[in-house]
Amino acid sequence: MSAEKRNLILAFESSCDETSVAVVEDGHIILSNIVATQVNSHKRFGGVVPEVASRHHIEQITSCVQDAMTEADVSYDDLDAVAVTYGPGLVGALLVGVSAAKAIAFAHELPLIPVNHMAGHIFAARYESEINYPSMSLLVSGGHTELVYMPEEGQFEIIGETRDDAAGEAYDKVGRVLGMTYPSGKEIDELAHTGKDTFNFPRAMIKDDNYDFSFSGLKSAFINTVHHADQLGETLDRADLATSFQQSVVDVLAEKTLRACHEYDIKQLILAGGVAANKGLRVRLEADMEKMPTVEFVKAPIKLCGDNAAMIGAAGYVEFLKGQRAGLDLNADPSLEFDWIA
């Protein structure tokens, strides 16, 4: 009896400042996941510069493909499809990955699978556990903070989102005020575990009858507190500042997520996105979800919370099985939303 054929997908991710190529088997086995980061190039600017990011992607994409194929020990003849992030993200950066994926798909006559970057973050959870529907996802990344309800596979309904700064953006801006280098989320998280919540920063919209978020007011309150102290010649405790800031973010995220889990009949809560690696947020949600034993709490693996192609391979596999295909006219869509899936 012959062994069942495995499905291999070559996946591309280049939406921001990570050039990544992966080979994924059956949507949940990583054969390779090459990530070329650009963090050091953007540190001196305090954030991602789109033109710099695009140039780095061009320089790195070919070697990332070669390394991914070599590490996975596969040939192009072994592949079943090519998946690629086509949005949302920086348009120039996206175009590099889309162009490379289209070239390989064309040259080797492989199906081309278009993938929403945010869906990729959610499906990173497939490397921890099968996703059981209906499910809810708290998607917290550098540019997005969303609560996404998924009644069944391939269906996404945003029930809440940020109205201004995303949580990740607030972390980076606060980190700048604290004199930290970009990206500062991890450093703030570590510092926050050494201080106390003494500043009682605002928890915007926490009691509002919706699932939307707002972190602009928190960011402003933090900056004003530090600047006011500077003007008076006072020195504020950095650890207490970090703790107070993070506690405000975590309180709002956890409160609204828990409410959504109670209101919607779901089997799983998925935590995904770059900020999903935050220890404070993970610990809080773990404690909260213990009070809801009927809902499984699934966290994307920490090493896959940031941008990477393995998550695109996982999402691409789902679309591959559904028959989702793109033509060679596929273009980057920097403002892509979840309504691309019906």
Side-chain angles (χ1 to χ4, degrees), residues 13 15-17 87-89 116-122 137-148 161-162 164-172 182-183 185 213 215 249 253 270-278 281 300 304-308 311 338:
E13 159 59 33
S15 63
C16 191
D17 60 342
N116 183 312
H117 175 77
M118 307 315 295
H121 275 302
I122 293 174
S137 178
L138 174 60
L139 191 49
V140 201
S141 69
H144 297 79
T145 303
E146 300 170 342
L147 272 169
V148 184
E161 59 188 332
T162 185
D164 39 60
D165 284 1
E169 291 174 314
Y171 268 91
D172 286 334
Y182 169 87
F213 306 94
F215 297 104
V249 173
L253 291 174
I270 297 168
L271 177 62
V275 184
N278 182 282
L281 179 58
L304 299 180
C305 285
D307 292 348
N308 67 90
M311 71 182 194
F338 269 123

Side-chain angles (χ1 to χ4, degrees), residues 37-79:
T37 183
Q38 306 173 8
V39 168
N40 289 334
S41 292
H42 298 285
K43 270 184 180 178
R44 63 184 184 274
F45 303 112
V48 177
V49 179
E51 179 63 23
V52 173
S54 299
R55 289 175 182 271
H56 277 301
H57 286 308
I58 293 171
E59 294 168 357
Q60 295 165 341
I61 194 74
T62 302
S63 60
C64 284
V65 172
Q66 293 172 341
D67 290 347
M69 296 291 287
T70 300
E71 185 174 312
D73 192 22
V74 297
S75 69
Y76 288 107
D77 289 338
D78 296 322
L79 299 177

Side-chain angles (χ1 to χ4, degrees), residues 66-292:
Q66 293 172 341
D67 290 347
M69 296 291 287
T70 300
E71 185 174 312
D73 192 22
V74 297
S75 69
Y76 288 107
D77 289 338
D78 296 322
L79 299 177
D80 292 277
V82 178
V84 61
T85 297
Y86 76 109
L90 303 174
V91 63
L94 288 166
L95 281 170
V96 177
V98 170
S99 298
K102 288 199 295 186
I104 289 176
F106 174 75
H108 300 280
E109 300 182 332
L110 292 167
L112 181 64
I113 315 298
V115 176
N116 183 312
H117 175 77
M118 307 315 295
H121 275 302
I122 293 174
F123 282 112
R126 293 190 84 243
Y127 294 109
E128 273 306 310
S129 170
E130 278 294 322
I131 297 178
N132 296 316
Y133 302 91
S135 62
M136 184 75 66
S137 178
L138 174 60
L139 191 49
V140 201
S141 69
H144 297 79
T145 303
E146 300 170 342
L147 272 169
V148 184
Y149 173 61
M150 297 176 290
E152 57 185 73
E153 193 163 75
Q155 293 189 350
F156 305 88
E157 178 188 351
I158 297 177
I159 64 169
E161 59 188 332
T162 185
R163 297 186 179 180
D164 39 60
D165 284 1
E169 291 174 314
Y171 268 91
D172 286 334
K173 291 173 182 177
V174 162
R176 199 174 303 154
V177 174
L178 289 174
M180 299 174 178
T181 58
Y182 169 87
S184 52
K186 183 178 180 181
E187 191 174 351
I188 292 175
D189 184 26
E190 292 172 349
L191 188 60
H193 288 84
T194 66
K196 298 178 181 178
D197 181 9
T198 59
F199 291 94
N200 194 30
F201 289 126
R203 273 74 167 160
M205 301 178 67
I206 193 169
K207 297 299 182 183
D208 288 11
D209 189 22
N210 57 54
Y211 298 115
D212 286 346
F213 306 94
S214 172
F215 297 104
S216 180
L218 167 61
K219 173 202 65 181
S220 297
F222 183 98
I223 293 173
N224 290 339
T225 297
V226 173
H227 286 178
H228 181 66
D230 288 344
Q231 291 170 353
L232 296 178
E234 297 178 355
T235 300
L236 302 179
D237 188 283
R238 292 175 81 251
D240 287 350
L241 280 169
T243 303
S244 300
F245 166 76
Q246 176 151 299
Q247 193 61 56
S248 176
V249 173
V250 169
D251 282 352
V252 174
L253 291 174
E255 173 79 16
K256 294 220 165 186
T257 299
L258 202 62
R259 247 195 290 151
C261 289
H262 278 292
E263 181 166 327
Y264 287 78
D265 183 18
I266 60 172
K267 296 179 180 178
Q268 280 183 338
L269 170 65
I270 297 168
L271 177 62
V275 184
N278 182 282
K279 182 181 177 182
L281 179 58
R282 284 184 169 233
V283 170
R284 170 64 179 274
L285 284 176
E286 284 171 353
D288 285 347
M289 295 310 294
E290 285 182 359
K291 304 168 188 174
M292 295 188 68

